[in-house]
Amino acid sequence: MSPSAFDVTGADRQHVWHPYTQHGAADPPIQIARAEGAYLVDVNGREILDAISSWWVTLHGHARPEIANAIAKQAQTLEQVIFAGFTHEPAAQLAAGLVERAPVGLERVFFSDDGSTAVEVAVKIALQYWVNRGEQRRTIVALENAYHGDTFGAMSVSARGLFTEPFATLLFDVVRLPDPVEHDVVSALEAVFAEREREIAAVIVEPMLMGAGGMRMWSAGALRGIRELTIAHGIPMIADEVLTGFGRTGPLFACEHAAVSPDLMCLSKGITGGFVPLGATLATNELFDSFKSKDRTKTLFHGHSYTANPIACAAGIASLALLDENSVERRREIGWSHRAAATGLQLIEGIRNVRVLGTVMALDLVARDTGYLSKIGPALGRFALDRGVLLRPLGDTVYILPPYCATDDDLARAYDVIADFMEFQGEPR
Ligand SMILES: *Cc1c(COP(=O)(O)O)cnc(C)c1O
């Protein structure tokens, strides 16, 4: 391919606003020309190992022909149609495929655009469920350090902090449970129910792994405890599996670690294999039936222009097929590789709390400044990029979250670059 004459750098600098980017301080973005498998290739032909699945979305690998072909075929057949009053095979088939693989009891699929909207839909279903039943329950229970997305409802149930600070006064209040990594979250929930059960509309959790809050891994026992309490009190539990879905934590869904089924489950990120945006909120028939009525005010008045976009659904079906084919074995191997590497990394001075859950490895760096704005994260990011590895630490937390096609050699490159950084760190820069 001949290089385009278009001035990408100039146009980007003048006209593009990037996500989570401080344009007053950021390095210029790297222009990627193409990608294949676990690698991105920049315009100069330099290969970069994508050790974070391009913000946790790329599932099987970049440019998988099975998904690319499904998208091309669908785009030439039916690219889009209004989803109110109409349906199509890709949506029906993907819904059935998701239900078949999801924890038992989740029977209905509401499609949306991304993880944040999948959470918005879950929260709105839970809140309106009580309205439809004629009960005044307006309060959501959520976890400390949670991250559920960047729209207002999703921000409201997320932890308050740096990301939400400018909007703090506009977010709705939630009851906050303590971080389940360090606290007895089940007793805390029990206390909440004892005190104000009749206000509580739902409990939302990121099962097993709190992602953007610092790749914090918590126990199946606590998840099961939360689920048992919500069942006992008849309060819907929302499992936000936007990150953990489709095998990231080992089993297909993180809820399987605790053998629990939530009432609502949010999916996105890996749902199309990481090719195109799509969100899905799965619900039980009990919730669905609470909206079914001759009374039109009980309708779920929610929808997006591109709800159940056929191209996105076709990608989702192709991705499910790839998951079925061979990814179980590879996911297990990635876990083994992580655990073997963890032993060595844990011994390095300045690295602590190395942890592994399924295909995700995370560790904390000892830094002078802590938290998301810690300077050590960007320093490691630059160091790794110079060596052809894409890492994007969450402040002082570093993680590896590879596409499943990553080989043991690829993974070793990622571990090594972290170890090397710790060695170089002592030197003046
Ligand atoms: C990324 C993420 C979201 C938000 O998804 P977007 O597609 O970025 O809107 C919600 N919940 C969790 C757990 C996530 O990791």
Side-chain angles (χ1 to χ4, degrees), residues 20 55-57 113-119 146-151 154 158 204-207 209-212 215 240-244 266-269 277-279:
Y20 281 88
W55 251 354
W56 320 348
V57 300
D113 296 346
D114 49 51
S116 301
T117 52
V119 168
Y147 177 78
H148 295 292
D150 287 349
T151 52
S158 296
I204 184 167
V205 298
E206 289 166 274
L209 174 66
M210 305 172 73
M215 292 294 162
D240 178 354
E241 295 234 15
V242 168
L243 163 61
T244 53
C266 310
L267 299 174
S268 185
K269 291 206 165 105
L278 180 67

Side-chain angles (χ1 to χ4, degrees), residues 238-355:
I238 304 169
D240 178 354
E241 295 234 15
V242 168
L243 163 61
T244 53
F246 306 104
R248 288 290 182 196
T249 72
L252 208 50
F253 299 103
C255 280
E256 293 174 35
H257 285 281
V260 296
S261 292
D263 300 284
L264 291 155
M265 187 163 84
C266 310
L267 299 174
S268 185
K269 291 206 165 105
I271 192 170
T272 62
F275 274 62
V276 284
L278 180 67
T281 305
L282 277 59
T284 60
N285 269 335
E286 188 191 344
L287 288 169
F288 177 76
D289 289 344
S290 76
F291 287 74
K292 235 163 102 179
S293 171
K294 295 269 175 283
D295 175 358
R296 292 184 62 191
T297 65
K298 291 189 173 177
T299 306
L300 179 61
F301 289 109
H302 187 104
H304 298 280
S305 312
Y306 284 96
T307 298
N309 172 256
I311 297 170
C313 292
I317 295 162
S319 179
L320 285 183
L322 288 173
L323 269 172
D324 293 346
E325 266 169 37
N326 54 12
S327 91
V328 178
E329 186 58 24
R330 187 58 204 142
R331 266 146 47 203
R332 200 172 296 139
E333 288 165 3
I334 290 173
W336 290 335
S337 168
H338 282 346
R339 273 188 290 276
T343 315
L345 287 168
Q346 184 70 51
L347 297 174
I348 295 175
E349 198 183 321
I351 291 181
R352 53 185 189 85
N353 200 12
V354 185
R355 49 205 187 270

Side-chain angles (χ1 to χ4, degrees), residues 82-148:
I82 176 175
F83 204 59
F86 293 84
T87 193
H88 48 80
E89 184 172 340
Q93 203 182 320
L94 180 58
L98 291 171
V99 165
E100 187 190 315
R101 290 165 182 82
V104 290
L106 296 165
E107 299 281 347
R108 291 280 168 178
V109 182
F110 191 102
F111 290 106
S112 59
D113 296 346
D114 49 51
S116 301
T117 52
V119 168
E120 295 288 342
V121 169
V123 168
K124 285 175 73 171
I125 289 174
L127 289 171
Q128 194 178 339
Y129 162 74
W130 293 106
V131 174
N132 288 351
R133 287 168 51 117
E135 280 193 52
Q136 272 304 317
R137 294 193 182 218
R138 316 308 302 147
T139 306
I140 309 283
V141 177
L143 299 181
E144 191 50 70
N145 287 324
Y147 177 78
H148 295 292

Side-chain angles (χ1 to χ4, degrees), residues 393-411:
L394 294 153
D396 46 3
T397 297
V398 187
Y399 62 90
I400 300 173
L401 198 154
Y404 303 153
C405 68
T407 64
D408 286 358
D409 285 347
D410 294 334
L411 297 173

